[in-house]
Amino acid sequence: LPKPPPIPTVVKRDESTLRIILPAQSLNLEAFLHNRTKSIPTKLRVGIQIGDDLTVGGDFIPLTKGGRGKTSYQLNISDSAWLVACPPTIERTMKLYPRVQVHLEELGTGSPPKHKKGIFDCDILWIFRCVWCIVKWAICCPCTLLKRIGCVLVAGARRGADLGAAALGGTRIIGTSGKIDWRKELRACNSETVADGGEDGSGEARQIWT
């Protein structure tokens, strides 16, 4: 007689879920891009770091022009939600994820590029930069020329590394919030969930960029 098929092993996992909601909103990016007039990113996304190791994020969103300034852009965020598996009790969940932090991310690697002021940037230090530029090229023209060539090569290599990392899905942070202790909110959400007939340990947390 043929042998009956083996009975599959059933593994029971006691866990709860944590639902994180990011409401739709428009984020003004001028404070994040004021020093990047020559390297404005085309797409950004909001990432939410839960605890120390877990980060969730949505899709990258194209920027929209928000004013006449060179860095006047907006990020129009749509409604997003994530479900995170958690321990079965609220106390263990708060111990595993005691805080939350919001990041603004772009495609690339390393640190984001910064615009260095030169002779064409008019401010209170313009005259000093102008004099220093003349002194550099007048006293040591070959050295300055070699330095400029080296900077161009380094910038090209860095740009190539950014494009490669972006193609592979690499991201870097251009802005971040402070670490928010949300244990009190988690406990309150858990109490409401249990009162509505849900399982102990699950809850809903709303994270709004301010």
Side-chain angles (χ1 to χ4, degrees), residues 26 58 75 103 106 112 156 207:
S26 294
L75 184 66
H103 303 302
E106 68 172 343
Q207 176 59 48

Side-chain angles (χ1 to χ4, degrees), residues 43-203:
K43 296 180 179 180
L44 294 174
R45 78 171 181 181
V46 174
I48 302 177
Q49 180 179 343
I50 309 166
D52 297 325
D53 303 322
L54 179 61
T55 300
V56 297
D59 297 330
F60 281 89
I61 305 171
L63 307 188
T64 57
K65 194 66 177 175
R68 296 182 179 180
K70 293 182 178 180
T71 58
S72 297
Y73 287 88
Q74 287 184 342
L75 184 66
N76 297 320
I77 305 170
S78 58
D79 287 324
S80 303
W82 299 271
L83 289 177
V84 180
C86 299
T89 64
I90 188 63
E91 297 301 330
R92 290 172 60 186
T93 299
M94 290 189 298
K95 185 177 180 180
L96 183 62
Y97 304 127
R99 66 189 66 87
V100 64
Q101 193 171 17
V102 182
H103 303 302
L104 190 62
E105 301 175 342
E106 68 172 343
L107 291 169
T109 184
S111 58
K114 295 182 180 180
H115 172 63
K116 294 183 179 180
K117 292 186 176 181
I119 194 173
F120 298 107
D121 297 301
C122 296
D123 58 10
I124 193 172
L125 299 176
W126 176 84
I127 185 63
F128 298 101
R129 289 197 298 270
C130 184
V131 171
W132 174 242
C133 184
I134 295 174
V135 169
K136 283 195 305 181
W137 285 99
I139 295 180
C140 190
C141 179
C143 297
T144 304
L145 184 60
L146 290 175
K147 181 181 177 182
R148 294 293 297 176
I149 294 174
C151 290
V152 170
L153 294 176
V154 171
R158 183 175 297 174
R159 178 61 177 168
D162 278 348
L163 293 176
L168 296 174
T171 61
R172 63 187 174 203
I173 297 174
I174 67 170
T176 184
S177 71
K179 294 183 178 180
I180 305 168
D181 189 335
W182 64 348
R183 286 173 290 188
K184 182 178 180 180
E185 286 75 14
L186 283 182
R187 186 176 282 107
C189 291
N190 178 71
S191 300
E192 294 177 2
T193 304
V194 174
D196 292 338
E199 297 179 359
D200 187 17
S202 62

